[in-house]
Amino acid sequence: MRQIYYTIQILLRGRGSNFIKLMSLTLGLLIGILLFSQIAYELSYENFYKDPECVALMRCRRVKDGIPDKEYDYSTFRPAAADLWEALPDLIESASLSVNFYQPEFYIDDKKLDDVQPMFADTLFFHTIGLDVLRGDPKELGTPLYAFLSQSKARELFGDEEPVGKTLSMGKMMDITVRGIYQDVPGNTAYRHNIVISLPTLEEHIFGRGTWRSNDIYNVFFRLKTPEDVEAMNGRIQKAVERYTETKEGTDVMEFSVLPLPDIYLSTPDTVRRLVILGVLGFSIFFVSIMNYVLAAVASFSRRAKAVGVHKCCGADGTHVLGMFMWETGLLVLTSIVACLMLMCLFREGIEDLLHVRLVELFTWNNLWVPGLTVLLLFFVAGILPGRMFATIPVTQIFRRYTDSKRSWKRGLLFVQFIGVAFILGMLITTIWQYHDLMTRSIGFRTERLAIGQYHMEDPQGVEDAIRRQPYVESVARNSNSLIAHYSTTGLTDTQGNFLCPLHYQNVTKDFPQIVGMKLVEGSWPEHTGEALIGRKVVETMKWGDKALGQRLPVNAQWVGLDSQPTVVGIVEDVRNMGFFMEQTCTAFILSDSRNFAYNVRLKEPLDENLARLNAFVKEAYPKAALEFTTYTDIQRQGYSDVYRFRNTVWVTSVCIFFIVLMGLVGYVSDETQRRSKEIAIRKVNGAEAPSILGLLSMDILKVAVGAVIVGTGFAWYVSGAWLEQFADSVLPSPVWFVLLALLLLALIVLLVIFKAWRIANENPVQSIKSE
């Protein structure tokens, strides 16, 4: 109890320095806990299923000339589930099909529902994947227009009412009847859903039934009898597939394998890379906050040395002194924990949006070891490191002035902090530049004021004409699908029949390319049905050179509503339909009035007001249609939401670490000017001017800062390159930006030193000498 009393008295006497320590610990602990918990949360993907290590997902990739593609395709063909179960019954307990890329809107009594995440699946889905069915018979998923709701979604939609038997409208095209309830799926899954709809609903009303050679849109899951059967299945799956379909296309081979469900999320290098960078960010701010705490403690040595000497004269040994400092650190850490909890409560919505996960899911019982370990690490490092220094202060200190300034420690700690802030700010430059580049880089057409809405209408031309007549509409054109999406595909092959790559194609109406702002490179715009535009990538892939015009595209003529294959009449700049996460695709746009149910509308200014007017008009004119418009800019933002959140994470981390380093530097300069006040006074008496004093102090800091800033910005350059590897055609910002960052950071450090030392540099030296 006596140690606690002494500790409280010390904390009360050092309120200024304790505030700096508390702020450093709170910011470092808050960001560190959030980032480390986010990493642990994502590392636990898919672990909530029943025996998840026994569940495997089928995947495939193309092997061209003996060299396999780097990326796997995790969607494959429908018959794979039943056929492989039949071929490998000694390994497979059950197999299931699901589709989750189709995300229609849902309504109840014309009210659009928020956050409905559908999954289309067959009758064995729940058993195979390992989810408990709470009510209902899963066999009913074999009936079209039937569905199961998650427990929480059923409660959200229907409250205390009986959900079984209730209906939801899917896209205002068909009514879905609820036939059962299943356990909630948490957020740490790559396959999120809160409603499972019968697979026949999708196959009979939307896309048709897939075969071994068409509609490779299915996720095929297997529940194996033991976890070891994954390896055994991978050794036999290729031959099993070859019993049912041809796996060779010319010299290319489709290679099939399975991957355990818990390994899927981390199977992509981009995910691993992002988590590593998050770990580096979290460690940076966490370590810098600890070093700032230690720096503040070391800076108080000269002031607290006599008190330590008094305690030792009264019988305290080094262990007691260390214990006293541990109590002090413990109370500050406990206070910072309370402050962190308050900040999490106050900014809960912002934090959840930043991390894209609810805090109640992030801090589950299974995940609480992360913040607990973080707090313990902070406590022991921040407590023991300076505590041992205090414990070594000699008892003779009570009789003389303590002269050990621990300058090597102070400079070392400042060096670490400067590295941290330079690194984080360097990452900030990269993320800001990258997001701006993604949102402003040309994607092959003009997105300014361009909105799109999709719905299958009986008279699409009439709808187009009605929209065109509105005074706030500049132009309208139709096509098959959003320009930023996965189009229909067919294979491009060379003259020997070898597969080259997929061709992404869709139908468009006349004048559509001009209205959406495509850029014609060669040839002419399509004027007659059956004429087509292709991107530069097609010409390059097919090696057509200057002979592209007049070529035939290998597209199923019946599917696009033609009597024969379309003819190329023009070449346009490539459209980045799959965004910049993937390489440029081969694209084609075919003039045909078949299947064109996507309405592209170029609005007049002001955009937001006119977009609202357009949506109000179609809702009033077509109340039974789920036709709603959104801008391509918003679609891009949604597609790059992970990049946006990562940028914001770096923003927040940068602000916090800059503030921590700022407080540490202020404390260091204050301590140094106080410690060297007599030296400065003597220099002034001997003729030194204020600028020379300020230059002396600035150079003292720059000796530490220059090397640290170079190391930090260099590390930021390296890590930025790793981050940008996930984006096709992306390059690092110019090195000039990193050089300017380093110079700006050094200038800010010098300005802060001058600001803090200005008073002592201009003070009458007599005042300092008189106090000696």
Side-chain angles (χ1 to χ4, degrees), residues 82-334:
D83 290 349
L84 292 180
W85 192 0
E86 178 186 58
L88 305 171
D90 55 320
L91 303 178
I92 299 173
E93 179 181 311
S94 65
S96 176
L97 297 163
S98 68
V99 175
N100 72 337
F101 78 91
Y102 181 58
Q103 299 285 309
E105 303 289 353
F106 288 84
Y107 298 81
I108 293 181
D109 298 331
D110 291 332
K111 178 184 177 182
K112 183 180 176 181
L113 304 178
D114 296 325
D115 192 34
V116 178
Q117 300 168 335
M119 172 81 78
F120 297 85
D122 61 12
T123 57
L124 288 174
F125 174 74
F126 293 117
H127 171 74
T128 302
I129 205 78
L131 285 176
D132 290 332
V133 175
L134 306 179
R135 296 180 58 187
D137 186 354
K139 292 181 180 179
E140 296 200 82
L141 287 177
T143 304
L145 305 181
Y146 278 6
F148 278 59
L149 280 175
S150 69
Q151 188 175 25
S152 61
K153 199 64 182 179
R155 189 181 304 112
E156 175 190 332
L157 296 179
F158 303 110
D160 296 331
E161 297 181 33
E162 172 58 54
V164 177
K166 298 287 187 179
T167 60
L168 297 82
S169 173
M170 188 173 79
K172 292 189 177 180
M173 293 188 294
M174 59 192 79
D175 289 336
I176 304 296
T177 303
V178 178
R179 299 303 302 166
I181 308 296
Y182 65 94
Q183 76 173 82
D184 289 335
V185 175
N188 54 336
T189 175
Y191 303 95
R192 299 186 180 188
H193 55 88
N194 48 33
I195 178 171
V196 176
I197 305 171
S198 62
L199 190 59
T201 303
L202 187 75
E203 295 178 327
E204 295 182 15
H205 297 275
I206 308 294
F207 290 112
R209 188 182 177 93
T211 68
W212 265 115
R213 304 300 296 175
S214 68
N215 270 16
D216 54 341
I217 61 175
Y218 298 86
N219 295 132
V220 179
F221 292 99
F222 299 99
R223 176 164 287 276
L224 306 180
K225 295 181 178 179
T226 66
E228 293 74 21
D229 289 336
V230 172
E231 184 176 352
M233 187 171 180
N234 279 328
R236 298 165 57 184
I237 189 172
Q238 192 70 20
K239 289 186 178 180
V241 171
E242 290 171 356
R243 290 170 52 182
Y244 300 96
T245 187
E246 179 62 50
T247 60
K248 295 183 178 180
E249 294 182 10
T251 59
D252 296 353
V253 177
M254 289 303 298
E255 180 183 85
F256 294 88
S257 60
V258 294
L259 186 69
L261 194 57
D263 297 341
I264 292 172
Y265 186 71
L266 296 177
S267 64
T268 59
D270 292 344
T271 300
V272 176
R273 187 181 300 116
R274 186 178 62 84
L275 292 180
V276 169
I277 294 175
L278 284 179
V280 172
L281 292 176
F283 177 79
S284 297
I285 189 169
F286 182 68
F287 190 67
V288 166
S289 68
I290 294 177
M291 294 301 100
N292 196 61
Y293 178 87
V294 175
L295 178 63
V298 172
S300 66
F301 263 47
S302 59
R303 296 191 302 273
R304 297 180 59 179
K306 283 187 180 294
V308 173
V310 170
H311 282 292
K312 287 194 171 183
C313 284
C314 294
D317 57 15
T319 304
H320 287 91
V321 175
L322 175 62
M324 188 168 59
F325 199 87
M326 295 296 289
W327 272 106
E328 180 181 330
T329 303
L331 290 175
L332 287 173
V333 169
L334 184 61

Side-chain angles (χ1 to χ4, degrees), residues 461 464 477-480 505-515 518 524-534 552-553 555-557 559-570 588-596:
Q461 184 61 53
E464 179 183 338
R478 289 181 289 119
N479 66 329
S480 301
Y505 68 92
Q506 61 169 280
N507 292 352
V508 300
T509 57
K510 188 178 179 180
D511 297 330
F512 172 86
Q514 299 96 306
I515 288 174
M518 291 185 181
S524 60
W525 299 112
E527 295 288 339
H528 305 96
T529 299
E531 295 180 341
L533 296 173
I534 59 174
R552 293 278 186 171
L553 292 178
V555 172
N556 186 317
W559 177 252
V560 293
L562 301 176
D563 297 326
S564 60
Q565 291 182 327
T567 304
V568 176
V569 298
F589 305 90
I590 304 161
L591 183 56
S592 172
D593 202 38
S594 175
R595 304 174 183 267
N596 289 326

Side-chain angles (χ1 to χ4, degrees), residues 625-645:
L627 180 58
E628 185 173 352
F629 287 85
T630 185
T631 65
Y632 275 102
T633 301
D634 286 339
I635 294 174
Q636 283 183 281
R637 288 196 185 102
Q638 182 62 33
Y640 300 127
S641 58
D642 287 342
V643 181
Y644 177 76
R645 280 190 289 269

